[in-house]
Amino acid sequence: MTARLIDGNALAKKVRGEVAQQVAALAAQGRQPGLAVILVGEDPASQVYVKHKVADCESVGMRSVLDRHPASLSEATLLQRIRELNADASIHGILVQLPLPKHIDANKVIETISPAKDVDGFHVASAGALMIGRPGFKACTPYGCMKMLEAIGCDPRGKHAVVIGRSNIVGKPMALLLLQANATVTICHSATPDLAAHTRQADIVVAAVGKRNVLTADMVKPGAVIIDVGMNRNDEGKLCGDVDFAGVSQVAGWITPVPGGVGPMTRAMLLVNTLEAAQAAARA
Ligand code: NAP
C-alpha cells in the first residue's frame, strides 16, 4: 500500500480563506479581530515563528500587534503588559512566544492571560475546559490535527487512536480531543515499554515526540492514519518528523508530510482561535 498524503499546506490555505471571509464580516461591523504577539529576547527560531504569525494575521485581514522586549525584561513588567492587553478591547487574542528567558516563570505568564484571550489554549482554564468537555480554546497543534482527520473523512468514533507523547501542549490535549471524538485512546510516552505493541493496534497514530524514526513501518497497522507532529533535523539538516516517512507511507492509508503537514495547520488554527475570540467578544 502507498499512503495518501494529507496536505497541510492546502488545508491550511482553505482554513485561512474561510477565516478571511469571517474576519471581513466582523471588520465590516467595526470589530476587526486583533492578535497581540509578545516576544521576549532574541531566540532566532522564536523570531521566525513570530514573524510568520504576524504575516498570517495580515493575510486574513486581522490586526496584529508585535510586542518585542529585550531578554532582560522583568517578569513584573511582562505581567503588567499582559494585564494592559487583557483590558484592551481591540485585542482579542494574546500569545506569548515560548520559551521565555529563565528568570521569567512561563506558567505565571500564561495564567495572567485572560482565558477569553488565550488563543494558544495553554491557560489552565483552557486545559481544564477541554478535560471536562466544556467550551474553551483548544491548543492549536492538536486542534489542527483534528481538522486534518476531519478533512480526510476520518471519524475517530470507535477507532483506536495511539498518541505518542504526553506534553501539555500537544500529547495530552490531542488525546483528550480524540477521546471527545469517541476514539479509544492510548497515550504512550518515554516509559512505555513496548511502543510497537500499541501502535500496531492503532487505526490512528499521532506522533508528538521530537525524535526521528520513532515510528517505523513495522510498527504500523496497514491502512492506519498517521499524523506526524514532530519537528526534527535529519543528517543533511533538513526538517523531518518523528515518522520514518519513506517506510511508513508504504503501509499506512494516510500520512502527513514534514514539512507541509501539521506545521501549517498549527498556524492556521491560531487564526481560527483568534477569530473565535473576536466573535465571542462581539456577542458579549
Ligand atoms: P515534549 O514536551 O518534549 O514532549 C515529548 C514527549 O515525547 C514526552 O511526553 C516524552 O515522554 C515523549 N517521548 C520521548 N521519547 C519517547 C520515546 N522514545 N517513545 C515514546 N515517547 C517518547 O515535546 P512537545 O512540545 O510535545 O513536541 C513534540 C514534537 O512536536 C517536537 O518535535 C516539537 O518540535 C513538535 N511540535 C510541532 C508543532 C507543529 O506545529 N508542527 C507544534 C508543537 C510541537 P515523557 O513525558 O515520558 O518525557
Side-chain angles (χ1 to χ4, degrees):
M1 175 178 290
T2 303
R4 295 169 72 181
L5 210 62
I6 310 177
D7 185 344
N9 282 323
L11 187 56
K13 192 174 170 196
K14 184 165 170 269
V15 171
R16 281 196 305 275
E18 290 161 3
V19 168
Q21 278 185 8
Q22 298 187 58
V23 167
L26 278 175
Q29 304 163 24
R31 296 180 180 275
Q32 185 190 26
L35 174 70
V37 180
I38 302 179
L39 174 64
V40 183
E42 306 290 329
D43 178 65
S46 292
Q47 295 195 41
V48 173
Y49 293 145
V50 159
K51 210 173 91 184
H52 284 152
K53 287 168 187 173
V54 169
D56 287 345
C57 282
E58 281 164 14
S59 77
V60 296
M62 282 182 187
R63 180 170 163 253
S64 64
V65 173
L66 175 54
D67 221 50
R68 296 186 74 128
H69 302 275
S72 58
L73 182 79
S74 75
E75 184 180 281
T77 309
L78 177 56
L79 298 183
Q80 182 51 33
R81 179 64 187 134
I82 291 171
R83 288 188 198 102
E84 284 165 19
L85 291 165
N86 283 341
D88 183 340
S90 73
I91 293 295
H92 304 96
I94 304 171
L95 180 153
V96 178
Q97 186 63 48
L98 301 176
L100 286 165
K102 292 216 171 356
H103 66 279
I104 298 178
D105 179 345
N107 287 329
K108 214 167 165 182
V109 169
I110 290 163
E111 302 320 316
T112 302
I113 297 172
S114 161
K117 299 189 178 188
D118 174 41
V119 289
D120 248 344
F122 294 170
H123 195 290
V124 75
S126 304
L130 178 60
M131 178 72 164
I132 62 170
R134 295 263 293 270
F137 291 110
K138 302 173 187 88
C140 299
T141 299
Y143 194 8
C145 294
M146 293 303 288
K147 281 272 171 206
M148 292 177 119
L149 293 177
E150 190 188 309
I152 61 164
C154 174
D155 180 356
R157 172 180 286 270
K159 301 212 164 59
H160 184 193
V162 169
V163 179
I164 319 174
R166 56 172 165 181
S167 72
N168 291 333
I169 62 168
V170 188
K172 281 184 204 156
M174 186 74 241
L176 287 168
L177 285 171
L178 286 162
L179 187 63
Q180 216 170 64
N182 297 307
T184 300
V185 183
T186 302
I187 307 175
C188 299
H189 44 77
S190 67
T192 301
D194 186 357
L195 182 60
H198 298 283
T199 57
R200 272 190 211 115
Q201 307 289 323
D203 306 300
I204 301 168
V205 180
V206 181
V209 173
K211 288 180 186 158
R212 287 161 57 190
N213 300 328
V214 155
L215 193 74
T216 48
D218 57 308
M219 299 167 75
V220 172
K221 177 167 142 179
V225 176
I226 310 296
I227 309 277
D228 191 353
V229 179
M231 285 200 306
N232 312 293
R233 295 274 164 197
N234 66 16
D235 293 337
E236 291 90 50
K238 285 198 182 136
L239 196 62
C240 66
D242 290 346
V243 175
D244 169 27
F245 185 87
V248 171
S249 58
Q250 299 303 310
V251 183
W254 289 91
I255 190 166
T256 64
V258 180
V262 174
M265 282 305 289
T266 296
R267 284 168 55 183
M269 298 323 283
L270 175 65
L271 301 174
V272 171
N273 277 347
T274 306
L275 172 68
E276 285 174 3
Q279 287 170 330
R283 283 194 299 272

